[in-house]
Amino acid sequence: MTKFYVTSPIYYVNDVPHIGHAYTTIAADTLARYHRLKGDATYFLTGTDEHGQNIARAADRHGETVEDYTDRIAAKFKALWSQLDISYDDFIRTTEPRHIEGALKFWEKLLASGDVYRDTYAGWYCQFCEAFYDESELLPGNLDPVHKRPAEWVEESNYFFRLSAYQTRLQHLIENTGFVQPETRRREILGVLRQGLRDFSISRQHVRWGIPIPGSPDEVFYVWVDALSNYITALDYAHDSELYHKFWPGNHLVGKDIIRFHCLYWPAMLMAAGEPIPEQVFAHGYITKDGEKLSKTTGNIIDPVALTEEWGADPVRYFFMKQPFGSDWNYTDEAFIRAYNADLADQLGNLLNRTVSMVMRYYAGQVPAPGLEEPVDTVLVDVARGLRLQVDHAMEHFAPHEAIGAIWELVSAANKYVDDTEPWNLAKARKEAGEAGKQADARLATVLYNLVESLRLIAIYISPLMPTKARGLTEQLGITLDNHDDWEHMRQFGGYPAGSQIKPGAVLFPKKD
Ligand code: ME8
């Protein structure tokens, strides 16, 4: 059996979840649901990154203990994931004992590698990024490039990881394999490699809120070493568990902002620890709104909670997954409403309505077995049959938007098939006496069967994207998608059991102004 392990980043709890977090998590969920559907042993991990100065400071600002504060914000992430129908298998928090235990084991392995040493670190430190910067990376006035706040000159004794020793191996990995996706990000990382890797410090003395380093009470883990290890600690790495051996290595889905950590630091540390490196790191692009960067200070935000309350989880999931994954893209309310009305209400919703009402009217709701075939059927059936390869390819390549494109080709082909075959005329003609009437009846049966069958396939393929709407669709078709032990069999054209009774239900996507 194939296995699929997918992770989202673990998100900082220094603020409530925002749309960027929702975006990555929806994508990971869509992939996880697709792999479960096809029968892969699937594990989907998300969680929260709870250590570091920023988080301690945020708790202070709210007048809460850091424990209460992190509990409260982690609960907000969980609430949003339930609102968005996120089917994670595990949610890890870096403050949990199981994580700390695993991170300490990882730390011991790093120490044992011989690639950790003690040195003095001096550099420009941004407390908001929890990162050191080279002088050349700072903006005029020694401002950090991300938050544009003054960086501090910090000197302290730290543990260092000899990243430079992994230059050749990383270069080989990234040049010769599909480890970093998509291609734009691979090139970006190669650019970083070309400048030569430098060792980095993996402990902090001036940070209090973190995992204490054994034998060095005034020092904690560098937050990124702590955070990255979540991908294995959640699999009970601490106890060398079956879960770890079954699912590691996995696939990391991240935003383009954190690729250096995932594509360089993390694999190098894993190599040092003697553990397998990830299968792939896929970096998606950044969302802007109305052409501007998302920012709480300017108020240019998309609130995931409000958006989901207004539209429901599935349309939100659909719209975000429709955007070119891997590229930057711009959100506008207009585009959202347009996609909802055009793709969901007009195209898919309407196809279901037309089909269900015709089966009701012409066959009292009992889907007929196909009768007479004509060349026009082949056009539809070919599109439906072609979908399987297209969707598989898209999903294997982390391209949910391409899967959507292919699925909607079938939706439009089916709508066009209704217009081309004019079932209402066949219904009239079948009342005629003799051969002509019989032929029209056999044609009508084929047309309606093919429409129902197309909808069944559409329901299968949209179920990772819009799980609730897919269920609504299959309920109306009078079937379930639950007994899908044989993925290839279930999606063969012709799988709809003729003679089944459809059950007209509520409009799937009510049109909105
Ligand atoms: O970086 N568009 O957490 P974080 C799209 N804790 N995605 C966006 C986005 C935008 N405008 N803004 C943020 C951290 N994201 C670390 C990760 S992992 C071991 C530790 C998404 O809360 C995107 O997935 O800052 C990005 O990688 C993530 O939010 C950063 O979340």
Side-chain angles (χ1 to χ4, degrees):
M1 190 193 241
T2 321
K3 67 95 185 166
F4 182 72
Y5 176 35
V6 64
T7 68
S8 80
I10 49 170
Y11 304 111
Y12 287 131
V13 291
N14 58 340
D15 207 345
V16 296
H18 60 68
I19 199 70
H21 299 141
Y23 181 49
T24 319
T25 311
I26 290 171
D29 188 61
T30 303
L31 287 170
R33 284 179 182 272
Y34 165 78
H35 281 273
R36 277 191 214 113
L37 180 67
K38 86 192 250 285
D40 293 344
T42 302
Y43 207 76
F44 166 24
L45 173 70
T46 187
T48 40
D49 192 352
E50 304 193 354
H51 287 131
Q53 208 64 58
N54 270 344
I55 286 150
R57 213 173 287 124
D60 271 354
R61 257 201 323 275
H62 288 87
E64 288 170 76
T65 64
V66 72
E67 288 81 8
D68 286 351
Y69 174 76
T70 50
D71 282 353
R72 187 166 65 80
I73 305 292
K76 286 202 186 283
F77 276 91
K78 286 190 178 171
L80 177 60
W81 300 158
S82 117
Q83 199 189 356
L84 279 169
D85 232 340
I86 302 298
S87 63
Y88 57 79
D89 293 289
D90 196 0
F91 186 107
I92 183 112
R93 301 177 54 187
T94 54
T95 46
E96 285 177 87
R98 61 173 177 146
H99 169 73
I100 296 170
E101 206 184 336
L104 286 169
K105 177 176 168 185
F106 189 61
W107 179 265
E108 293 303 329
K109 289 220 174 180
L110 282 181
L111 288 188
S113 71
D115 285 323
V116 172
Y117 61 94
R118 198 101 195 143
D119 204 350
T120 302
Y121 193 89
W124 292 102
Y125 182 74
C126 168
Q127 54 185 355
F128 299 98
C129 307
E130 312 234 12
F132 283 95
Y133 286 100
D134 286 342
E135 186 126 23
S136 63
E137 291 174 294
L138 295 178
L139 304 175
N142 294 335
L143 304 183
D144 84 85
V146 179
H147 298 88
K148 305 193 173 51
R149 307 228 203 169
E152 310 163 52
W153 182 255
V154 168
E155 273 182 37
E156 60 174 42
S157 167
N158 283 167
Y159 282 102
F160 275 71
F161 177 66
R162 198 171 284 120
L163 183 65
S164 55
Y166 295 84
Q167 172 89 30
T168 315
R169 268 183 280 176
L170 289 172
Q171 199 133 4
H172 177 81
L173 172 72
I174 291 158
E175 268 171 6
N176 301 309
T177 71
F179 181 71
V180 182
Q181 297 286 337
E183 183 56 22
T184 43
R185 301 298 155 216
R186 190 177 80 94
R187 264 185 261 127
E188 189 179 323
I189 290 293
L190 281 175
V192 176
L193 275 164
R194 232 168 273 128
Q195 290 169 15
L197 292 177
R198 281 198 291 165
D199 300 352
F200 66 100
S201 72
I202 54 173
S203 65
R204 290 290 179 272
Q205 293 220 340
H206 62 285
V207 173
R208 288 283 150 263
W209 180 237
I211 303 179
I213 302 235
S216 186
D218 289 337
E219 224 169 333
V220 300
F221 277 49
Y222 170 42
V223 73
W224 271 100
V225 175
D226 174 348
L228 286 163
S229 69
N230 92 87
Y231 300 130
I232 59 177
T233 65
L235 300 176
D236 197 18
Y237 174 67
H239 301 105
D240 200 29
S241 67
E242 242 175 75
L243 199 64
Y244 178 68
H245 290 288
K246 179 167 179 189
F247 284 110
W248 186 253
N251 299 277
H252 302 312
L253 224 66
V254 298
K256 66 175 186 179
D257 52 329
I258 53 177
I259 53 175
R260 285 185 196 200
F261 299 103
H262 284 84
C263 303
L264 299 172
Y265 290 23
W266 179 227
M269 289 192 293
L270 285 163
M271 288 171 185
E275 303 295 346
I277 61 163
E279 283 172 7
Q280 249 179 17
V281 178
F282 189 98
H284 64 70
Y286 249 41
I287 307 170
T288 51
K289 184 185 179 208
D290 303 324
E292 304 283 335
K293 197 172 160 239
L294 298 178
S295 150
K296 216 172 163 178
T297 27
T298 63
N300 195 45
I301 57 160
I302 309 159
D303 176 6
V305 174
L307 194 68
T308 314
E309 264 165 18
E310 184 178 354
W311 294 89
D314 284 359
V316 173
R317 295 170 60 107
Y318 172 79
F319 182 72
F320 281 79
M321 290 301 93
K322 192 188 171 186
Q323 314 308 320
F325 204 62
S327 315
D328 295 338
W329 59 277
N330 183 46
Y331 173 94
T332 64
D333 285 334
E334 294 71 37
F336 189 105
I337 297 169
R338 212 179 314 120
Y340 177 88
N341 281 332
D343 307 356
L344 299 180
D346 289 347
Q347 287 206 63
L348 178 54
N350 202 23
L351 175 65
L352 176 68
N353 280 350
R354 295 165 103 178
T355 306
V356 163
S357 64
M358 288 190 291
V359 176
M360 287 306 290
R361 195 168 332 130
Y362 306 141
Y363 292 95
Q366 199 177 27
V367 178
L372 211 58
E373 281 176 23
E374 277 187 10
V376 64
D377 306 336
T378 325
V379 181
L380 177 69
V381 175
D382 282 352
V383 175
R385 289 215 167 106
L387 202 51
R388 98 204 256 153
L389 279 184
Q390 282 177 290
V391 172
D392 286 354
H393 183 270
M395 296 306 265
E396 298 299 336
H397 291 84
F398 298 83
H401 59 291
E402 283 175 17
I404 289 181
I407 300 165
W408 257 259
E409 267 172 41
L410 177 57
V411 175
S412 0
N415 273 318
K416 181 166 186 302
Y417 181 70
V418 177
D419 302 338
D420 289 346
T421 54
E422 302 179 323
W424 45 90
N425 286 336
L426 293 171
K428 258 184 243 153
R430 74 177 171 158
K431 293 192 187 117
E432 286 166 27
E435 203 48 38
K438 263 196 213 144
Q439 282 214 358
D441 188 50
R443 268 310 288 158
L444 184 61
T446 304
V447 168
L448 291 188
Y449 181 86
N450 284 346
L451 287 171
V452 169
E453 174 59 352
S454 298
L455 279 163
R456 183 186 74 91
L457 292 172
I458 291 164
I460 292 176
Y461 289 116
I462 66 167
S463 66
L465 284 162
M466 296 191 280
T468 307
K469 295 298 179 184
R471 221 172 303 123
L473 214 167
T474 51
E475 268 162 24
Q476 298 207 26
L477 300 182
I479 52 168
T480 60
L481 291 184
D482 295 333
N483 48 352
H484 45 71
D485 44 354
D486 186 350
W487 167 236
E488 291 310 330
H489 186 251
M490 113 185 246
R491 57 198 187 134
Q492 258 162 31
F493 194 91
Y496 184 87
S500 305
Q501 190 70 29
I502 56 155
K503 302 182 183 71
V507 174
L508 216 49
F509 300 102
K511 196 129 177 190
K512 300 237 197 176
D513 293 330

